[in-house]
Amino acid sequence: MPETLWRASLVLALYRNRHVAQARYLQLATIRGDGRPANRTLVFRGFLGETDAITVVTDMRTAKVREVEATPWVEACWYFPMTREQFRLGGRARVVREDAGDEADRQARRDAWRALSDATRQSFTWPMPGAPRDPAVPFVAATPDPEAPPADFGLIVLEPVEVDHLELDGNPQNRWIFRRDADGRWTGREVNP
Amino acid sequence: MPETLWRASLVLALYRNRHVAQARYLQLATIRGDGRPANRTLVFRGFLGETDAITVVTDMRTAKVREVEATPWVEACWYFPMTREQFRLGGRARVVREDAGDEADRQARRDAWRALSDATRQSFTWPMPGAPRDPAVPFVAATPDPEAPPADFGLIVLEPVEVDHLELDGNPQNRWIFRRDADGRWTGREVNP
């Protein structure tokens, strides 16, 4: 079992499911301040450069930023409907905010902002997420500059240390578990589904 | 805002997405023994009778059983691809095992077992989930009796106390948060997406 076969399998799943919009949606579980889990759908925005790390974008005003910064252990669950396979990606996450992180992180944040649609960029100018909706407050603002990510725009980078890959279409199903050790080396093995 | 509009909205979403198999898949986040989150795709098996509680089935040998029994707070994230809406259902979960629970729970467990396909029932006879796969161990067993759920079959019942319903198709998006108080009364309000 090649050590990092999970990344090749994930790249392949992205390709095979490329015509299904929701194949780029994953569910990210975090820990709330009261110790309960939170779970929401996010859009995969690519790997961080050539690394194994997964990126998603976030409004800095949302609870997930506080949750990840207080408890960096997260698990993403990612289901691919065309190929009927699931990846569970557990690991540490970090939030890349304005004027923070190393140059690779800063560049990834700028690139992610540029790659968004105008409509998604506009959503970062909306009133406070989760606050009571006031019909008198307008939502539509001027189109933000694609070259200048605002302070409310953040990038979340997930560095997996354990990946559980399940193929439902086998009979029986096929499943592999990959783990990264403290030295960054991956090992994988096939397990019972 | 009617108090339990979330349940009507969920029933409607199930109906509108009925031709998409994965619309019955939700992601359940739980807390591991080490405090990290876990997250996996499960199949919705219906409400518990006429209540608001959500049911899924489980192999009793899997980690989620130990996780839910140690820390009952969970959050399900449920995305509906046809109508582009998401429900986040946070609450307490319980595991209904053989010879446990009240009569409604026991009946729901028997009904859930009977409603499974033969192939899914067979999966409960497979070797230990997550253990290294041994090609010498056969997976296919005799077809289990639909009237006699085995000890390894369990039902997980999630009783939501907070529901976050997001419709992506609005412009701006529409979002409501519903909460159940200690007396079981629901209140809901519209919030910013």
Side-chain angles (χ1 to χ4, degrees):
Chain A
M1 172 62 55
E3 304 74 32
T4 54
L5 200 60
W6 71 265
R7 193 188 194 282
S9 297
L10 183 54
V11 168
L12 196 60
L14 280 161
Y15 179 75
R16 286 179 168 159
N17 291 267
R18 66 193 179 283
H19 298 306
V20 185
Q22 72 266 26
R24 296 182 77 84
Y25 296 178
L26 53 85
Q27 278 74 33
L28 186 72
T30 54
I31 306 288
R32 296 178 194 267
D34 61 9
R36 301 179 189 177
N39 203 3
R40 80 287 283 160
T41 305
L42 297 171
V43 181
F44 170 67
R45 303 292 180 178
F47 290 98
L48 182 74
E50 299 302 311
T51 73
D52 297 334
I54 304 288
T55 67
V56 295
V57 302
T58 186
D59 191 309
M60 293 297 293
R61 299 169 295 174
T62 60
K64 61 182 167 302
V65 170
R66 297 186 292 278
E67 290 162 8
V68 165
E69 293 191 329
T71 310
W73 290 103
V74 303
E75 186 161 296
C77 181
W78 197 347
Y79 180 73
F80 289 89
M82 289 296 289
T83 48
R84 302 188 70 235
E85 61 192 312
Q86 170 186 269
F87 292 81
R88 296 172 58 179
L89 303 134
R92 294 178 76 99
R94 64 178 179 275
V95 180
V96 184
R97 51 174 77 229
E98 191 170 42
D99 299 328
D102 62 22
E103 185 46 34
D105 278 2
R106 288 169 179 245
Q107 185 64 50
R109 176 173 172 272
R110 285 191 297 268
D111 291 346
W113 176 254
R114 195 183 297 112
L116 297 180
S117 66
D118 279 337
T120 302
R121 276 193 292 261
Q122 276 189 340
S123 71
F124 289 86
T125 68
W126 289 353
M128 182 70 185
R133 186 150 168 181
D134 179 352
V137 174
F139 273 67
V140 178
T143 306
D145 181 354
E147 299 301 326
D152 281 341
F153 175 74
L155 188 74
I156 295 179
V157 179
L158 163 57
E159 294 199 339
V161 298
E162 181 169 326
V163 178
D164 183 331
H165 178 203
L166 174 68
E167 290 180 342
L168 290 179
D169 272 348
N171 182 24
Q173 303 151 1
N174 297 305
R175 185 179 173 198
W176 299 268
I177 292 180
F178 304 87
R179 289 197 179 86
R180 195 177 78 173
D181 67 19
D183 296 325
R185 278 189 302 265
W186 284 94
T187 53
R189 64 176 184 183
E190 187 166 10
V191 302
N192 295 325
Chain B
M1 172 62 57
E3 304 74 33
T4 53
L5 200 60
W6 71 265
R7 192 187 194 282
S9 298
L10 183 53
V11 168
L12 195 60
L14 280 160
Y15 179 75
R16 286 179 167 158
N17 291 267
R18 66 193 179 282
H19 299 306
V20 184
Q22 72 266 25
R24 297 182 77 83
Y25 296 179
L26 52 86
Q27 279 73 34
L28 186 72
T30 53
I31 307 288
R32 297 179 192 267
D34 61 8
R36 299 180 191 177
N39 203 3
R40 80 289 283 163
T41 305
L42 297 171
V43 181
F44 170 67
R45 302 292 180 177
F47 291 98
L48 183 74
E50 299 301 311
T51 74
D52 297 334
I54 304 288
T55 68
V56 296
V57 303
T58 186
D59 191 310
M60 293 298 293
R61 299 169 295 174
T62 59
K64 62 183 167 302
V65 170
R66 296 187 292 278
E67 290 163 7
V68 165
E69 292 191 329
T71 309
W73 290 103
V74 303
E75 187 160 297
C77 182
W78 197 347
Y79 181 73
F80 289 89
M82 291 294 290
T83 48
R84 303 189 68 238
E85 61 191 314
Q86 169 186 271
F87 293 82
R88 296 172 58 179
L89 304 134
R92 295 177 75 101
R94 63 178 181 276
V95 180
V96 184
R97 50 173 77 229
E98 191 171 44
D99 299 328
D102 63 22
E103 184 47 34
D105 278 2
R106 289 169 180 243
Q107 184 64 48
R109 178 174 172 270
R110 286 192 297 268
D111 291 346
W113 175 254
R114 194 182 299 112
L116 297 180
S117 66
D118 279 337
T120 302
R121 276 193 292 262
Q122 275 187 343
S123 71
F124 289 86
T125 69
W126 289 354
M128 182 68 185
R133 186 150 169 181
D134 179 352
V137 174
F139 273 68
V140 178
T143 306
D145 181 354
E147 298 301 326
D152 281 340
F153 175 74
L155 188 74
I156 295 179
V157 179
L158 162 57
E159 293 197 340
V161 297
E162 181 169 327
V163 177
D164 183 330
H165 179 204
L166 175 67
E167 289 181 341
L168 290 180
D169 272 346
N171 181 24
Q173 304 152 1
N174 297 304
R175 184 180 174 197
W176 300 267
I177 292 180
F178 303 87
R179 289 197 178 89
R180 195 177 78 174
D181 67 19
D183 296 324
R185 278 190 301 264
W186 285 94
T187 53
R189 64 177 184 185
E190 187 165 9
V191 301
N192 295 325

